[in-house]
Amino acid sequence: MCGIVAYLGHRRAHEVILKGLKRLEYRGYDSAGIALLNGGLNIYKKKGKVSDLEQSLQGMSLDCNIGIGHTRWATHGEPNDVNAHPHYSGSKRLAIIHNGIIENYTALREDLVNKGHTFLSETDTEVLIHFIEDVQQRNNCSLVEAVRLALHSVIGAYAIVVLSLDEPNQLVAARKGSPLVIGVGKNEYFLASDATPIVEYTNEVVYLNDREIAVVNNDGLTIKTVEDIPTTPYIHTLELALEAIEKGGYDHFMLKEIFEQPRSIRDCMRGRLDAKSGRLVLGGIRDYVDAMANAERIIIVACGTSWHAGLVAEYLFEEFCRIPVEVEYASEFRYRNPIIRQGDVVIAVSQSGETADTLAAIELAKERGAIIIGVCNVVGSSIARASHAGSYTHAGPEIGVASTKAFTAQLTVLNMICLLIAQKRGTISQELFQKLLTDLEQVPARVEDILKLNDQIKVIAEEFKDVPNFLYLGRGYNFPVALEGALKLKEISYIHAEGYPAAEMKHGPIALIDENMPVVFIATRDSSYEKIVSNIQEVKARKGRVISIVTEGDDWIPNMSEFTIEIPMVHEALMPMLSVIPLQLLSYHIAVMRGCNVDQPRNLAKSVTVE
């Protein structure tokens, strides 16, 4: 959930690290720090933003060509200067940065205290570096061997980088359950939580696997397992462009990413879908289409916005493929001792491909014989590598913490997977198959039309920016959109919002309706249109303030609504890809008007890589 950057080479290390930490700010954090070998092993860290750390370093002599840096999202210990990373060992001859959670740190700490160790922080990370030093002293071994031996006794998730005063020309890194990527330059190396701090310097990277230890020094890069088995690094070529992680003239990354959706949806379909010829190909799942078509059950595991995409997919697969679908919160699935049968298909949906709960869920499902299909955005991510097969969304980097273009890209992939399976099973007519292909291909242009309503939506935001509560209601395919709209408003504006199936309003939430309650209806023309009209009338009768998302040309619902946003018509199965766009813009503008940090909302992280 936090950010790692480390460097060894010929550049000024602190400049590379600080710039890299800024690139990782989107992941969420509450403090930042660096450790440098600049005339000694020196740690500089501070609660707050990277800019606060940078300001505190003004005038200091920081020149060196090796160092480590970190942005922390608090797990053990409150956010403050002391708990910030990096952390020293007891002798202050080692320093560490760490993402993840060491589950047995209490037992390790008690043992170390009994040996005379003193701890300055409340963190599990400081315990880990003390433990590594203790192992090194007891075994009189090198740093890399001490790390390897120590990790045998560590329970939990970690991505670590260790710096030593006694071995000053090397970095030692390891990972288990938390991502770590190594950039390979010309006589220089970059280590980071993801590729965004690296792309400026090199497009060649190595993704460290679970239970692997990497050493970078003047002799190059070597990797071995915790079991001391050497492995051969596989160098991937990044396709990420530097301009993709810049704001490009927008005020916020979130707004940029909302407006990128016509392109990101097109990129997701490019080379895969051609409606004119009736062609639909997903090379990443080609070898598993038969197994998916013959499955008796599909389980979708995801978290947050990806879970909402999974709910839409449940409607899709059950309607067109006629396969029972269960959509599970990954965090609950892994602890519930779920019933998984040989041949069940588990679709794991994750923007980052590193979501810890989703990773754990698919490992559990794999052990029980399920076929794992990954749907994620980040090439080379842990979920992509842990899956039997899958499809990338190709949405490009999503820097804003509140997911926008990832959602519509996930829906694009899930729609295409659904159509392939339905065609294979013979549960969809050729006429309907062609209709859905055509409508799907037209979605990017329809999204462009909706984005032109930005100024109109800004007016609605101004009207409601100070309300304490919102309700979002939808039916059928638009019920998950109601959930997603409420989530967007909650996470970036801090307004309490709830999404419900519109018919469920009568089973409790209708008690909340009064003249101060804004209710957003996703009320497009579909098979439940007349029913949702009745729900709107019920809200109006209780003086609720109605904001409606309707299909262009609707002349009925606008007469019952205080505000109306018209969107183009597509098949109702694809409508969530359109109806969500106004809700993204509404939440964005309300948050900006309330003075909220849109790209880095409080307490949130982009990639939840710890439980």
Side-chain angles (χ1 to χ4, degrees):
M1 297 177 72
C2 31
I4 281 175
V5 183
Y7 176 75
L8 170 64
H10 52 80
R11 305 174 195 266
R12 300 177 74 185
H14 75 281
E15 293 179 352
V16 173
I17 293 168
L18 289 171
K19 183 181 285 188
L21 293 179
K22 289 179 181 177
R23 297 255 190 246
L24 291 175
E25 285 187 306
Y26 75 96
R27 295 173 69 91
Y29 71 106
D30 46 52
S31 59
I34 61 173
L36 303 171
L37 286 175
N38 57 329
L41 178 53
N42 297 303
I43 289 178
Y44 313 89
K45 54 186 182 177
K46 197 159 189 65
K47 177 185 174 181
K49 297 298 184 183
V50 176
S51 58
D52 298 321
L53 172 65
E54 201 169 25
Q55 183 65 35
S56 73
L57 299 175
Q58 292 296 318
M60 293 187 181
S61 177
L62 304 173
D63 282 352
C64 68
N65 61 7
I66 184 171
I68 59 178
H70 192 265
T71 50
R72 175 179 185 253
W73 192 90
T75 54
H76 296 78
E78 67 180 70
N80 59 31
D81 292 356
V82 175
N83 289 329
H85 296 206
H87 287 284
Y88 280 123
S89 64
S91 69
K92 295 191 174 182
R93 303 191 73 81
L94 302 178
I96 191 173
I97 50 178
H98 164 226
N99 287 353
I101 293 177
I102 306 304
E103 295 175 9
N104 63 332
Y105 89 102
T106 301
L108 294 173
R109 182 181 177 120
E110 288 175 359
D111 182 60
L112 291 165
V113 168
N114 290 336
K115 293 178 178 179
H117 287 252
T118 300
F119 295 95
L120 303 176
S121 77
E122 304 167 77
T123 68
D124 54 339
T125 303
E126 188 185 11
V127 172
L128 179 56
I129 193 61
H130 276 247
F131 182 54
I132 290 170
E133 183 171 69
D134 181 70
V135 169
Q136 185 175 28
Q137 291 172 347
R138 282 190 284 113
N139 291 275
N140 191 26
C141 60
S142 66
L143 176 61
V144 64
E145 182 64 5
V147 170
R148 189 184 74 81
L149 292 172
L151 292 180
H152 277 289
S153 300
V154 167
I155 299 171
Y158 55 79
I160 61 171
V161 185
V162 183
L163 182 60
S164 171
L165 185 60
D166 300 315
E167 299 176 56
N169 296 309
Q170 75 169 12
L171 297 169
V172 177
R175 73 152 281 181
K176 178 190 174 188
S178 191
L180 197 62
V181 59
I182 302 169
V184 181
K186 189 174 182 181
N187 299 318
E188 60 181 348
Y189 295 93
F190 309 81
L191 294 87
S193 302
D194 63 43
T196 52
I198 294 173
V199 66
E200 182 174 348
Y201 307 101
T202 180
N203 67 346
E204 294 188 342
V205 299
V206 174
Y207 295 100
L208 209 59
N209 293 313
D210 269 359
R211 297 182 63 78
E212 284 188 338
I213 301 170
V215 179
V216 295
N217 54 33
N218 295 333
D219 296 325
L221 166 66
T222 58
I223 298 177
K224 61 181 176 181
T225 67
V226 173
E227 289 73 32
D228 208 22
I229 300 170
T231 64
T232 302
Y234 177 75
I235 296 178
H236 298 254
T237 301
L238 288 175
E239 297 179 0
L240 179 64
L242 181 61
E243 56 268 22
I245 56 175
E246 301 288 355
K247 287 183 184 174
Y250 287 89
D251 290 337
H252 299 93
F253 282 110
M254 183 181 177
L255 186 62
K256 177 193 177 201
E257 288 153 10
I258 290 172
F259 274 81
E260 282 178 340
Q261 286 175 106
R263 178 199 58 75
S264 59
I265 296 169
R266 285 191 184 100
D267 286 348
C268 190
M269 292 187 287
R270 182 172 288 117
R272 295 168 164 175
L273 187 154
D274 181 359
K276 187 175 181 180
S277 64
R279 176 178 174 272
L280 179 59
V281 177
L282 291 173
I285 64 168
R286 181 185 294 114
D287 295 339
Y288 286 85
V289 171
D290 285 347
M292 295 174 74
N294 292 321
E296 295 183 2
R297 181 174 64 152
I298 293 173
I299 303 168
I300 300 173
V301 293
C303 300
T305 287
S306 298
W307 186 79
H308 296 157
L311 285 180
V312 176
E314 178 181 19
Y315 286 79
L316 291 167
F317 285 106
E318 292 196 342
E319 178 169 355
F320 299 119
C321 304
R322 307 308 298 158
I323 300 174
V325 178
E326 297 172 19
V327 185
E328 300 274 1
Y329 283 114
S331 56
E332 290 297 313
F333 180 78
R334 61 179 297 199
Y335 291 115
R336 206 189 66 237
N337 192 21
I339 298 170
I340 303 169
R341 296 183 292 266
Q342 192 83 20
D344 282 348
V345 171
V346 173
I347 301 177
V349 187
S350 167
Q351 188 282 139
S352 67
E354 302 292 349
T355 310
D357 286 319
T358 307
L359 266 169
I362 65 175
E363 291 298 341
L364 171 65
K366 274 175 83 172
E367 289 171 4
R368 300 187 183 183
I371 297 166
I372 310 299
I373 305 297
V375 175
C376 51
N377 187 33
V378 180
V379 176
S381 58
S382 297
I383 288 174
R385 286 179 285 148
S387 302
H388 292 111
S391 293
Y392 288 115
T393 57
H394 299 304
E398 187 176 65
I399 306 300
V401 167
S403 192
T404 53
K405 66 177 180 175
F407 179 72
T408 50
Q410 288 166 353
L411 291 183
T412 305
V413 166
L414 291 166
N415 268 284
M416 291 191 292
I417 292 174
C418 170
L419 290 173
L420 273 178
I421 297 172
Q423 187 181 50
K424 186 73 176 179
R425 285 173 62 86
T427 52
I428 188 171
S429 69
Q430 184 58 37
E431 180 182 6
L432 181 54
F433 179 81
Q434 185 62 49
K435 162 69 174 170
L436 287 166
L437 283 189
T438 301
D439 277 18
L440 185 55
E441 197 172 61
Q442 292 173 354
V443 163
R446 301 289 181 262
V447 173
E448 287 174 345
D449 292 338
I450 297 170
L451 292 171
K452 294 174 184 176
L453 305 176
N454 185 46
D455 289 343
Q456 175 190 340
I457 295 168
K458 194 183 296 186
V459 171
I460 300 172
E462 179 67 41
E463 179 71 21
F464 293 101
K465 63 181 173 60
D466 297 319
V467 301
N469 301 288
F470 257 84
L471 277 179
Y472 288 74
L473 302 176
R475 282 178 176 259
Y477 283 100
N478 279 321
F479 160 52
V481 178
L483 295 177
E484 176 63 11
L487 176 62
K488 283 294 148 291
L489 191 68
K490 279 184 282 197
E491 60 188 348
I492 64 169
S493 76
Y494 318 139
I495 293 174
H496 173 254
E498 296 295 337
Y500 284 93
E504 284 298 302
M505 180 182 60
K506 293 190 291 292
H507 296 275
I510 198 167
L512 298 170
I513 305 298
D514 61 18
E515 66 276 9
N516 299 312
M517 175 64 79
V519 183
V520 178
F521 280 93
I522 301 98
T524 53
R525 284 267 183 196
D526 57 26
S527 54
S528 59
Y529 178 78
E530 286 77 14
K531 297 294 185 182
I532 207 161
V533 167
S534 297
N535 297 138
I536 294 172
Q537 290 170 334
E538 289 165 348
V539 169
K540 286 294 292 181
R542 289 155 181 84
K543 300 183 179 179
R545 305 186 67 182
V546 175
I547 306 163
S548 295
I549 313 295
V550 303
T551 309
E552 283 177 344
D554 190 320
D555 55 7
W556 194 1
I557 291 179
N559 292 327
M560 296 184 282
S561 306
E562 185 174 351
F563 294 96
T564 304
I565 301 168
E566 292 191 355
I567 63 176
M569 184 67 187
V570 292
H571 189 283
E572 66 178 290
L574 305 177
M575 188 57 77
M577 300 174 69
L578 302 188
S579 58
V580 76
I581 307 296
L583 306 186
Q584 293 172 349
L585 287 169
L586 181 65
S587 62
Y588 169 79
H589 288 301
I590 287 176
V592 169
M593 291 171 185
R594 290 168 64 89
C596 301
N597 189 336
V598 173
D599 287 334
Q600 297 169 42
R602 68 189 182 204
N603 304 331
L604 294 180
K606 181 64 177 175
S607 180
V608 184
T609 58
V610 296
E611 293 183 48

